[in-house]
Amino acid sequence: MERQRMELSNWGNYPKTIAEVYFPNSIEEARAVVLEQERLIARGNGRCYGDAALGHQVISTLRLKRILNFDTQNGIVWVEAGVLLADLLEVIVPHGWFFHVTPGTRYITAGGAVACDVHGKNHPHKGCFSNWVIDFDLLCADGSVVRCSRQENSNLFWQTCGGMGWTGVILSVRFQLMRISSVFLQQRAVKANNLEDLLKAFEANRSWPYAVAWVDGLARGLQLGRGVLWLAEHQTATTPKPLAFPTRRTLDLPVYAPNFLLHPSLIWAHNQWYYARATNGEQRVDLEQCFYPLDRVHHWNRLYGRRGFVQYQFGLPEEHSLQGFRLVLEQVHSSGMAPFLCVIKRHGDRPQEAIHSFPERGYSLALDFPRTPGVPALVRQLDELVWKWGGKVYLAKDACSAPHMSRIFPDRFAPNKFWSLLRERIQPSERC
Ligand SMILES: Cc1cc2nc3c(=O)[nH]c(=O)nc-3n(C[C@H](O)[C@H](O)[C@H](O)COP(=O)(O)OP(=O)(O)OC[C@H]3O[C@@H](n4cnc5c(N)ncnc54)[C@H](O)[C@@H]3O)c2cc1C
């Protein structure tokens, strides 16, 4: 089995650590690593942003990448945990299947999708990824492999969905796909002059299956929170044709951009241009354009320079979202820091048993900040506002929030074997 000592970071390029990384090719090799190491953490494709998939000892699932079974009639797929959604799309779309729930990148593994219980732009309609999981096999601290589903080992099932890898190593996942007859979607843009209008537009368009809003994070005064709501629904093919996942040439950012590139004045200019260019109206887009626009540029995270960036994604209850988002944006403005990507999503109810899933009824706002020295202090100020309004942060994005902010408590996870930098940062007994 290959083993490498290497510098590791996740998508935000912050923090960085030196880790011993093991690349098992089989369950037996994975078991040997788990039994040998006192502490370790599973890692998929490192597409979380902060410190979740980092540790001093890391077990990578990227070599566990076989599609074990694909029932093309019923749309049930069983894959090893290291299979990328990107690779799976090439196989399932030609048979007329897509994911019920997908995040904004297809370069994540099936194991990572379960461990963060990822959500998409359709949470009120389809819930989180776990909603569609039938079962998974989990490699536990004692080396045993346990099948977990809603019926079998259900406690472990729900502890693991959104459990950030703290229950064990997910080895394989079986989940249900969604029928599609076309790779196209109808997309509608709705421009909104301010935050209140934007949230009203979400409400008025609740019946659209997909909804996500770009927000101008620098707009102030009467235009605070102005943005564009993007809605989408799948098209039905009138003449069924063989389907193929549409891919375009991707660009690559081969080197880190200089730090001045995302200067607030340039972000301001970008936002002016983006908002002015957007018009209300409809157009036809394909799966890649609708769900994975950011995947068009490989390594776009290098745009933030070597210093990396921090994404602050938090959710607020529906009744406090407008007021809370306003206060957060005002706090950001008074800090002088400029968020580049700002995105709002609407969320539906969290099933009671999905104890670690991030989305709850209401809205979430994600803000990307180049990692300047003032960011940790700003994050703590935002934490206070979010907490006061009954909100929480998403651990898949978190890099420096206060330990209680996710409302997930790692000391309630039985084995201390599965250990990440995130867990070290937020587990009370481990902090000095
Ligand atoms: C451009 C972009 C857009 C995104 N959009 C969204 C979005 O819309 N919605 C959303 O929810 N998320 C989103 N994310 C976050 C991303 O989907 C999640 O963090 C996802 O979990 C990353 O999967 P991964 O395979 O890269 O896992 P990693 O980043 O490697 O790991 C993430 C966590 O899962 C654990 N883990 C990974 N594999 C296993 C395993 N086999 N067994 C046990 N634990 C494991 C790790 O320990 C870690 O805690 C986005 C990320 C990017 C870069």
Side-chain angles (χ1 to χ4, degrees), residues 10-11 41-49 51-54 61-62 81-82 84 102-105 107-121 138 160 163-171 294-295 300 311 313 345 358 394 396-397 420 422:
N10 295 322
W11 192 246
I41 191 70
R43 178 178 175 88
N45 206 26
R47 276 337 199 242
C48 61
Y49 280 62
D51 49 3
L54 300 180
T61 61
L62 290 180
L84 294 179
T102 178
T105 174
Y107 296 112
I108 72 161
T109 63
V114 174
C116 290
D117 202 8
V118 297
H119 61 273
K121 300 187 266 191
L138 186 73
T160 303
M164 307 308 291
W166 299 335
T167 55
V169 183
I170 300 161
L171 295 173
L294 291 170
D295 288 347
W300 62 258
Q311 183 170 103
Q313 183 175 0
K345 287 184 219 147
F358 163 72
Y394 187 21
K397 309 290 177 71
S420 57
L422 167 68

Side-chain angles (χ1 to χ4, degrees), residues 56-316:
H56 303 300
Q57 310 287 331
V58 171
I59 178 166
S60 167
T61 61
L62 290 180
R63 305 254 163 103
L64 303 173
K65 55 175 185 184
R66 286 177 304 157
I67 297 178
L68 299 170
N69 189 263
F70 176 25
D71 175 348
T72 54
Q73 289 303 310
N74 297 305
I76 294 174
V77 72
W78 183 29
V79 295
E80 286 188 330
V83 165
L84 294 179
L85 298 192
D87 293 335
L88 207 43
L89 283 168
E90 308 284 343
V91 176
I92 63 172
V93 172
H95 289 276
W97 296 100
F98 187 62
F99 306 120
H100 279 285
V101 171
T102 178
T105 174
R106 60 190 187 277
Y107 296 112
I108 72 161
T109 63
V114 174
C116 290
D117 202 8
V118 297
H119 61 273
K121 300 187 266 191
N122 56 352
H123 186 265
H125 296 266
K126 294 289 183 96
C128 283
F129 194 81
S130 61
N131 226 10
W132 306 97
V133 172
I134 298 164
D135 55 31
F136 53 78
D137 285 344
L138 186 73
L139 175 57
C140 299
D142 62 0
S144 61
V145 175
V146 177
R147 176 139 310 169
C148 302
S149 68
R150 284 170 183 73
Q151 294 77 33
E152 221 179 328
N153 301 302
S154 63
N155 273 348
L156 203 47
F157 179 88
W158 290 115
Q159 281 276 49
T160 303
C161 295
M164 307 308 291
W166 299 335
T167 55
V169 183
I170 300 161
L171 295 173
S172 65
V173 187
R174 191 193 321 261
F175 61 100
Q176 177 69 56
L177 302 168
M178 177 182 76
R179 254 285 172 230
I180 50 167
S181 63
S182 157
V183 293
F184 294 107
L185 297 100
Q186 193 65 17
Q187 190 181 58
R188 178 186 289 177
V190 182
K191 268 178 105 166
N193 283 326
N194 55 45
L195 190 60
E196 188 169 8
D197 287 353
L198 192 57
L199 296 192
K200 278 186 184 155
F202 266 103
E203 287 307 315
N205 291 286
R206 295 175 88 114
S207 59
W208 283 77
Y210 301 102
V212 64
W214 168 86
V215 180
D216 178 353
L218 296 187
R220 294 174 183 231
L222 294 176
Q223 292 193 317
L224 183 94
R226 70 175 181 176
V228 183
L229 174 64
W230 295 100
L231 305 160
E233 63 185 2
H234 289 278
Q235 285 189 340
T236 313
T238 36
T239 45
K241 278 194 231 142
L243 307 180
F245 182 73
T247 41
R248 292 169 184 75
R249 275 172 64 101
T250 47
L251 303 171
D252 191 10
L253 205 62
V255 291
Y256 287 96
N259 285 352
F260 64 77
L261 189 72
L262 290 183
H263 188 272
S265 57
L266 287 176
I267 298 177
W268 181 85
H270 165 269
N271 290 0
Q272 296 292 327
W273 166 80
Y274 187 96
Y275 188 74
R277 194 191 59 142
T279 46
N280 290 331
E282 296 202 6
Q283 61 175 342
R284 191 175 85 151
V285 293
D286 63 34
L287 293 171
E288 193 198 35
Q289 290 167 315
C290 180
F291 295 105
Y292 310 114
L294 291 170
D295 288 347
R296 298 280 303 282
V297 184
H298 279 309
H299 301 116
W300 62 258
N301 52 346
R302 292 181 179 159
L303 212 57
Y304 292 85
R306 282 194 184 280
R307 62 191 169 177
F309 70 108
V310 169
Q311 183 170 103
Y312 189 75
Q313 183 175 0
F314 65 98
L316 291 181

